[in-house]
Amino acid sequence: MTGTLYGVGLGPGDPELMTVKAARLISEASVIAYHCARHGRSIARSVAEPYLREGQIEEKLVYPVTTETTDHPGGYEGAIADFYELSAKRLAEHLDAGRDVVLLCEGDPFFYGSYMYMHERLSGRFEAVVVPGVTSVSAASSVFGRPLVQRDEVLTVLPGTLPAPELARRLADTDAAAVLKLGRTFSSVREAFAEAGKLDDAVYVERATWGQQRVEPLASVDPSTVPYFSLALLPSPAYASRQSSPASPPAAAPSAGEVVVVGLGPAGPEWLTPEAASELDAAEHIVGYGPYVARVPQKAGQQRHASGNRVEADRARDALSLAASGSRVAVVSSGDPGVFAMASAVLEQVSAGHGTGVRVRIVPGVTAAQAAASRVGAPLGHDYCVLSLSDRLKPWEIIEKRLDAAGAADLVLALYNPASRTRTTQLADARAVLLRHRSADTPVVVARDVGGPEEDIRITTLGDLDPATVDMRCLLIVGSSKTRAENGIVWTPRSY
């Protein structure tokens, strides 16, 4: 009978924060395994020491390298992979002999823990049980004396090894955060907090719950003093606002700010106009659908408000509310904000009485139709119609009438939102309507992710168009009777 592998979380460092189950398993196990550096000392073992007993076999899993030094032909990744394979083999020998193995892990085994590498190598062969532990994030929050999050706030946990610009973007997009793996990454982490405009609200916690723990403002920490066992914490902003200084006399109501609805173009920064870039740089708040907000370069002090794809009205009201308090707000849209995007959503909310006194401006962007057309030539060279096939905001009967009218008028069509996971029949129906008026050999451009990493441009015909190959990230251009396609070039003559 084989033994059982236990991944035992020890908590953040204080032996009294270990669970009763963890203490029992440690005292009962035949084999105690733990990771350590070449010097042989193990923090995990020191935490578990009160529960060890005589006669237990101890397996030291000694890391052979650091990230900076190795002569392994596969570099650090190759050396560490070999180490994990050898460690798993050593533990497997005990398990095959019927001995239970407890692998000690600081914090929680599945929260950036080393145990997971043994689990993925051994759990398929042996019974594996994970015992959770108090994480360093919870410990840091407790010693700082502030809640991490409350109510609807969002907590983001990030590794400090991310590039500073990526860290800054994610910090700006969240309410509260914990950034782990500091040490040599500390300077770039502090830079990211500053870029996100949240450095003054962040706290540094070192060795939480240990006898030599350290808690101080992140901005004041000397990078040369930062060990690996530390983290940066951005606690609950709602709690902080309630704990601010005593109320002062009410200030005069601020003058209303403005909302600028900005078109980002269809993809990366090369599609952004200088005017749009200038407005984004000047904004105090960036509001928009999450993936579009992520495309905006992070600026220190600028607050970001990302939301889902189907809350345009809520997003518009939030932007107007921010502006009504005197802020400069940029609402972002992909492509052009006036084409099936946020400009009309904002103006509709203004018409409904929101944002009194707020000025609204629209900054155009390159449309998806223009971008797609540029990839193949000039299919929009004559009169054309832009139509969305989404029936989420208008009934299909209206769409079909407009398709029929555009087809009868012999207009080129740029078709937005042709399909989605839940809308699988509309494109086939639209094709059938257009075939009443167009020949089957009418050129059709299927453009997907124009300007993005998965860009794919196909030229087909109305007769050969397969709706199953089209998804929400596609835009279609259906030619008129005059549109030509030759040698990969599609154009519609200006003369009719």
Side-chain angles (χ1 to χ4, degrees):
M1 184 176 178
T2 59
T4 299
L5 173 66
Y6 294 94
V8 175
L10 303 176
D14 182 350
E16 292 185 342
L17 289 177
M18 194 185 307
T19 65
V20 173
K21 184 173 184 177
R24 176 178 62 79
L25 289 173
I26 291 169
S27 65
E28 293 176 353
S30 302
V31 180
I32 302 295
Y34 48 85
H35 293 86
C36 63
R38 286 176 173 174
H39 51 58
R41 297 185 299 276
S42 167
I43 294 172
R45 188 192 183 283
S46 68
V47 175
E49 188 170 9
Y51 307 100
L52 299 177
R53 58 177 174 78
E54 291 186 10
Q56 289 177 309
I57 301 170
E58 294 191 20
E59 280 285 359
K60 290 184 179 181
L61 307 179
V62 182
Y63 285 112
V65 293
T66 69
T67 55
E68 291 85 9
T69 58
T70 178
D71 55 3
H72 191 284
Y76 172 76
E77 293 299 331
I80 205 69
D82 286 351
F83 163 67
Y84 286 137
E85 290 297 332
L86 178 60
S87 298
K89 182 178 179 182
R90 289 170 57 186
L91 299 186
E93 290 174 355
H94 291 295
L95 295 166
D96 278 328
R99 293 188 283 269
D100 290 343
V101 176
V102 162
L103 179 54
L104 305 176
C105 187
E106 298 97 332
D108 182 271
F110 278 167
F111 187 74
Y112 294 117
S114 299
Y115 166 77
M116 66 184 69
Y117 301 107
M118 295 300 96
H119 188 88
E120 66 185 25
R121 287 168 169 80
L122 297 173
S123 61
R125 297 168 51 194
F126 305 99
E127 182 180 2
V129 177
V130 177
V131 180
V134 176
T135 70
S136 59
V137 176
S138 298
S141 175
S142 67
V143 300
F144 183 45
R146 288 265 297 277
L148 284 170
V149 280
Q150 52 192 329
R151 302 192 66 175
D152 295 330
E153 290 176 336
V154 174
L155 170 68
T156 302
V157 178
L158 299 162
T161 49
L162 286 176
E166 176 68 7
L167 268 176
R169 181 184 70 79
R170 291 176 180 263
L171 287 168
D173 286 344
T174 192
D175 300 309
V179 182
L180 288 73
K181 302 178 183 289
L182 296 189
R184 60 189 176 83
T185 71
F186 179 80
S187 293
S188 65
V189 169
R190 186 165 63 183
E191 175 189 340
F193 272 93
E195 279 295 304
K198 297 184 176 181
L199 180 59
D200 292 341
D201 300 319
V203 64
Y204 169 84
V205 182
E206 177 184 316
R207 296 186 172 95
T209 76
W210 298 18
Q212 64 272 43
Q213 72 182 21
R214 174 184 170 198
V215 181
E216 62 181 86
L218 187 69
S220 65
V221 175
D222 178 358
S224 66
T225 67
V226 176
Y228 182 81
F229 285 96
S230 58
L231 59 82
L233 195 67
L234 184 67
S236 166
Y239 181 87
S241 66
R242 292 199 301 273
Q243 301 301 311
S244 58
S245 57
S248 55
S255 58
E258 71 170 349
V259 169
V260 184
V261 192
V262 179
L264 301 177
E270 65 274 17
W271 297 91
L272 191 68
T273 68
E275 181 187 17
S278 176
E279 294 293 350
L280 294 174
D281 185 65
E284 298 169 277
H285 298 267
I286 303 293
V287 176
Y289 175 41
Y292 302 157
V293 171
R295 284 167 48 186
V296 178
Q298 181 60 54
K299 178 188 174 185
Q302 195 175 65
Q303 296 185 48
R304 298 151 76 92
H305 309 265
S307 52
N309 193 30
R310 296 194 174 188
V311 291
E312 291 92 343
D314 293 342
R315 188 153 56 232
R317 286 192 292 271
D318 289 344
L320 290 166
S321 177
L322 288 168
S325 67
S327 297
R328 234 178 138 165
V329 183
V331 177
V332 294
S333 283
S334 181
D336 183 275
V339 180
F340 305 122
M342 284 302 300
S344 58
V346 171
L347 294 174
E348 184 176 357
Q349 294 307 311
V350 171
S351 178
H354 298 280
T356 301
V358 171
R359 181 187 180 198
V360 176
R361 293 189 291 117
I362 314 299
V363 175
V366 177
T367 70
Q370 292 169 328
S374 72
R375 291 302 200 232
V376 297
L380 306 180
H382 204 279
D383 299 337
Y384 68 94
C385 168
V386 177
L387 190 67
S388 170
L389 294 190
S390 173
D391 56 358
R392 189 169 67 87
L393 298 176
K394 61 181 182 291
W396 176 254
E397 292 76 13
I398 295 296
I399 297 173
E400 185 170 0
K401 287 180 181 179
R402 292 175 179 176
L403 282 167
D404 191 62
D410 200 20
L411 295 169
V412 175
L413 284 93
L415 299 179
Y416 282 66
N417 308 315
S420 70
R421 287 191 297 269
T422 57
R423 294 185 297 104
T424 58
T425 62
Q426 283 85 346
L427 182 56
D429 292 342
R431 175 176 172 271
V433 172
L434 293 175
L435 281 171
R436 301 172 192 164
H437 308 282
R438 307 282 165 88
S439 65
D441 60 0
T442 299
V444 175
V445 178
V446 181
R448 187 176 191 276
D449 192 32
V450 177
E454 299 179 14
E455 178 175 308
D456 179 53
I457 310 295
R458 292 182 289 117
I459 301 172
T460 183
T461 64
L462 194 57
D464 291 337
L465 174 63
D466 181 3
T469 64
V470 175
D471 62 22
M472 191 65 177
R473 299 178 67 187
C474 294
L475 179 134
L476 273 61
I477 299 177
V478 181
S480 71
S481 64
K482 303 298 182 182
T483 303
R484 300 289 178 260
E486 296 176 1
N487 301 318
I489 302 297
V490 182
W491 82 100
T492 303
R494 293 183 64 191
S495 59
Y496 194 86

